[in-house]
Amino acid sequence: MRRFCILFLLMISFSGMAQKSKIPVYAWMGGPGEATDSELRETFLGLKKRGIDGLLYNGGHNPETYKRVGSLVKEAQMEFHTWIPTMVQGDPELKPEWYGVSGLGESAYDKQPYVSYYKFLCPNKEEVYQYLSDLYGSIADVPEVDGIHLDYIRFPDVILARGLWEKYGLIQDREFPQYDFCYCDTCTSDFRDKSGIDIKKVEDPSQITEWKQYRYDVVSKLVNHLAEMVHRKNKKINAAVFPGPSIAKKLVRQEWNTWNLDAFFPMNYNDFYMGNTLWIGSVVKEETAAVPDRPVYSGLFICPRPEEKAHEEDPEGHGLLPEELGDAIRESMENGAKGICLFTPGRMTDAHWEALEKAIHLDYSN
């Protein structure tokens, strides 16, 4: 009897150790489309079984959608964060004057850089503040929602990631005015009042450090306003951000280490930057040092399945293959990440899932 008790205690002990060693895993996904509750339930239970702990879920703007989906995600015992773009908005009810303006004086409402859905709002308008506060506030009020997940919380890419240049037939070795935002009357006059500089009269605005900082601050102010509102509702708030934040500042004006968020999900998509899995480790090291008091979940870009239609922004590279996924996770964890986030579970093959199963149960504490 005594031997049996000892064995039983050892089994409990080893089981507890195994549970503690699993790293947190999140995933970006969208829906629900035409899926029934039964189909969604099966999907979510399957993801939980595969090791997913929480979903960053894009389901539009309707709170009722998140109530329905969220109840099924909670039933599967996963966290539920609503993944909703911030500055990119295609709502036909929005006014043209709410949108950003390029250095050429072209509104993103009429002419979008790169791709047609790049209809970026200006983050410096009171009307935009109110619109986004109402949107995220209504979603945060849904009981099933654990947190708000911001995306596209930035300006358009003034410079695309290097891995995308060929895709768009560009060489962006400097900042070009057609991709440089925002030069609306609100932003330029406000900057002139604060700095004494009329940026519209500057020959090369990219050389004006104060103008860069002004745009970082405009985005940060909006984020922190939304964070305060969401926190008052006793919900979490986090965001998908560009790597760095050194890369994020250079490419999209995100100084995200100044944001009052609960967690960060940097999109460490190595193929976008012509890097390998070692590159992932290097940027995670910078990211975790930038926000040492808050968790960083390393976003990993999975190679699309052959039958899957690639996203417009996908690079010409392949994304993480199954044999690379373990290294990407190890580089992330050994450089300080709290866990990882997959883009997306729908791209994962059986071989990817096998690699994930091995990698998420290793001990990275040493």
Side-chain angles (χ1 to χ4, degrees):
M1 181 67 180
R2 183 180 178 186
R3 182 180 296 175
F4 174 80
C5 290
I6 291 173
L7 288 172
F8 180 72
L9 289 172
L10 285 172
M11 288 173 64
I12 293 176
S13 176
F14 286 132
S15 174
M17 289 172 64
Q19 289 177 358
K20 289 179 182 178
S21 69
K22 180 192 174 299
I23 69 170
V25 181
Y26 290 84
W28 285 287
M29 71 179 301
E34 300 299 319
T36 65
D37 285 2
S38 177
E39 290 168 334
L40 290 173
R41 182 179 291 109
E42 182 180 1
T43 295
F44 298 150
L45 289 172
L47 291 174
K48 177 64 176 179
K49 187 176 180 180
R50 296 280 201 179
I52 307 298
D53 300 293
L55 294 182
L56 311 175
Y57 194 89
N58 186 330
H61 290 182
N62 189 342
E64 290 302 314
T65 299
Y66 292 112
K67 182 175 181 62
R68 175 200 169 203
V69 175
S71 65
L72 297 170
V73 172
K74 304 305 286 185
E75 184 180 318
Q77 299 184 329
M78 291 187 291
E79 293 180 31
F80 184 57
H81 300 260
T82 55
W83 170 29
I84 306 174
T86 307
M87 302 316 302
V88 171
Q89 297 292 341
D91 186 342
E93 299 297 319
L94 300 188
K95 297 181 179 179
E97 57 265 30
W98 293 9
Y99 286 82
V101 175
S102 76
L104 292 181
E106 298 169 335
S107 171
Y109 181 85
D110 300 311
K111 186 172 182 179
Q112 300 80 41
Y114 308 116
V115 288
S116 60
Y117 72 87
Y118 255 38
K119 295 186 72 169
F120 273 78
L121 296 171
C122 169
N124 200 23
K125 310 274 192 192
E126 287 298 325
E127 299 90 342
V128 171
Y129 266 60
Q130 191 60 54
Y131 172 79
L132 294 173
S133 294
D134 291 345
L135 169 61
Y136 290 117
S138 68
I139 304 299
D141 284 334
V142 175
E144 290 79 6
V145 169
D146 293 309
I148 298 295
H149 182 69
L150 308 176
D151 194 11
Y152 289 99
I153 179 59
R154 58 183 180 83
F155 286 99
D157 319 51
V158 64
I159 296 176
L160 285 173
R162 179 63 183 83
L164 294 172
W165 290 8
E166 286 77 9
K167 182 179 180 67
Y168 292 98
L170 298 171
I171 297 177
Q172 292 187 316
D173 51 358
R174 60 183 177 87
E175 296 184 6
F176 291 93
Q178 61 267 43
Y179 308 115
D180 187 20
F181 287 74
C182 176
Y183 287 78
C184 74
D185 291 341
T186 301
C187 287
T188 55
S189 62
D190 187 37
F191 177 66
R192 185 176 61 246
D193 292 343
K194 285 180 166 61
S195 68
I197 301 172
D198 186 345
I199 199 65
K200 289 186 176 181
K201 294 183 178 179
V202 174
E203 183 176 352
D204 185 0
S206 70
Q207 299 304 306
I208 306 301
T209 302
E210 297 92 336
W211 180 227
K212 284 184 169 64
Q213 188 63 54
Y214 174 79
R215 271 126 8 125
Y216 304 155
D217 293 343
V218 165
V219 175
S220 297
K221 183 181 177 182
L222 174 59
V223 172
N224 292 335
H225 169 79
L226 295 174
E228 183 179 358
M229 179 272 295
V230 171
H231 284 149
R232 284 200 303 268
K233 295 176 179 290
N234 296 314
K235 296 296 176 73
K236 300 291 186 182
I237 183 168
N238 46 61
V241 295
F242 271 53
S246 59
I247 293 173
K249 290 170 65 176
K250 180 179 180 181
L251 301 192
V252 295
R253 321 293 191 195
Q254 280 182 337
E255 192 176 32
W256 54 257
N257 55 301
T258 66
W259 298 357
N260 298 327
L261 302 184
D262 300 295
F264 299 88
F265 292 76
M267 297 174 286
N268 296 326
Y269 301 164
N270 55 298
D271 276 342
F272 283 56
Y273 302 93
M274 314 290 281
N276 56 19
T277 55
L278 293 174
W279 178 90
I280 293 175
S282 68
V283 293
V284 170
K285 186 175 183 179
E286 179 192 346
E287 292 157 359
T288 55
V291 285
D293 57 335
R294 283 163 293 171
V296 168
Y297 298 95
S298 181
L300 303 178
F301 187 83
I302 305 302
C303 175
R305 292 170 175 263
E307 67 272 16
E308 182 186 29
K309 182 180 183 295
H311 189 274
E312 285 183 286
E313 289 185 6
D314 282 2
E316 296 301 325
H318 53 64
L320 291 169
L321 297 169
E323 57 268 28
E324 298 170 315
L325 183 56
D327 287 339
I329 294 172
R330 177 178 53 78
E331 287 290 339
S332 298
M333 299 306 297
E334 290 183 350
N335 283 284
K338 178 70 173 179
I340 63 162
C341 189
L342 303 174
F343 185 89
T344 63
R347 296 181 169 199
M348 298 278 282
T349 63
D350 289 343
H352 279 108
W353 288 117
E354 290 174 12
L356 181 76
E357 171 69 16
K358 293 177 183 177
I360 63 178
H361 289 99
L362 297 177
D363 183 2
Y364 298 100
S365 59
N366 296 323

